């Protein structure tokens, strides 16, 4: 692998992860803050930071919201990197990028909600199907599909 191809891969992963992360957080803010009125955009981002800092994140103002935004992008980039690293080795990811993207989005939701969040300091509400399916749909459309599309486009 040449330095140019490594730089190209890193650039594509960063761009794709930033696009997916932006789509996801804008969707969360649009749905949960603007449409449903459940929280403000700052509270949503503080909620992300609360995974590390616990309830104290909600008293941290804009600084903690920006920290939450940084964590959000880091998580999006990690998931994007994993998909891009697996893509050349798993032929089923090549066949149908839409199906792969949907399955990847569901996997991201499962990992976040059944592993990451329970192991963090985030105060998770009990699982209820309607909110869970809404959250899963957002991740499928805003993370799974863009990442799968980005990988398909990059590798073909």
């Amino acid at each position: 692998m040449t330095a140019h191809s490594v730089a190209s891969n890193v650039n594509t992963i960063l761009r794709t992860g930033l696009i997916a992360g932006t789509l996801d957080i804008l969707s969360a803010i649009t749905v949960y803050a603007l449409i449903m009125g459940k929280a403000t955009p700052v509270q949503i981002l503080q909620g992300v930071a609360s995974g590390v800092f616990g309830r104290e994140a909600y008293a941290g103002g804009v600084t903690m919201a920006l920290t939450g935004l940084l964590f959000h992008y880091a998580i999006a980039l990690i998931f994007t990197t994993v998909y891009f690293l697996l893509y050349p080795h798993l032929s089923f990811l090549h066949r149908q990028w839409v199906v792969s993207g949907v399955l990847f989005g569901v996997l991201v939701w499962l990992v976040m909600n059944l592993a990451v969040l329970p192991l963090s300091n985030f105060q998770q509400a009990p699982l209820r199907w309607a909110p869970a399916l809404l959250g899963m749909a957002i991740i499928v459309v805003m993370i799974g599909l863009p990442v799968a599309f980005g990988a398909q486009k990059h590798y073909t």
Side-chain angles (χ1 to χ4, degrees):
M1 186 173 273
T2 68
H4 175 64
S5 65
V6 169
S8 174
N9 288 348
V10 169
N11 184 30
T12 302
I13 290 168
L14 284 173
R15 190 172 355 104
T16 304
L18 290 173
I19 289 168
T22 300
L23 290 171
D24 182 51
I25 199 64
L26 288 177
S27 294
I29 289 169
T30 299
V31 170
Y32 298 112
L34 302 177
I35 295 172
M36 298 173 83
K38 290 185 176 262
T40 67
V42 168
Q43 289 169 329
I44 289 170
L45 294 170
Q46 289 169 332
V48 177
S50 76
V52 172
F53 297 104
R55 300 220 34 95
E56 295 171 17
Y58 295 100
V62 173
T63 300
M64 203 53 69
L66 292 173
T67 302
L69 185 62
L70 179 69
F71 290 166
H72 172 77
Y73 278 113
I75 292 165
L77 286 168
I78 289 167
F79 279 112
T80 301
T81 301
V82 168
Y83 191 92
F84 270 74
L85 291 175
L86 291 175
Y87 187 91
H89 307 289
L90 299 175
S91 63
F92 70 87
L93 297 178
H94 309 184
R95 291 189 206 118
Q96 295 286 329
W97 73 264
V98 174
V99 173
S100 297
V102 169
L103 293 175
F104 180 64
V106 170
L107 178 66
V108 168
W109 186 90
L110 289 169
V111 168
M112 288 302 299
N113 285 274
L114 301 180
V116 174
L117 292 178
L119 294 172
S120 77
N121 291 316
F122 181 76
Q123 297 296 312
Q124 202 172 7
L127 180 68
R128 291 187 356 243
W129 283 109
L133 291 174
L134 175 60
M136 187 183 295
I138 290 171
I139 290 177
V140 164
V141 173
M142 300 304 171
I143 296 219
L145 292 173
V147 169
F149 176 75
Q152 177 78 12
K153 187 174 179 187
H154 178 71
Y155 285 108
T156 53

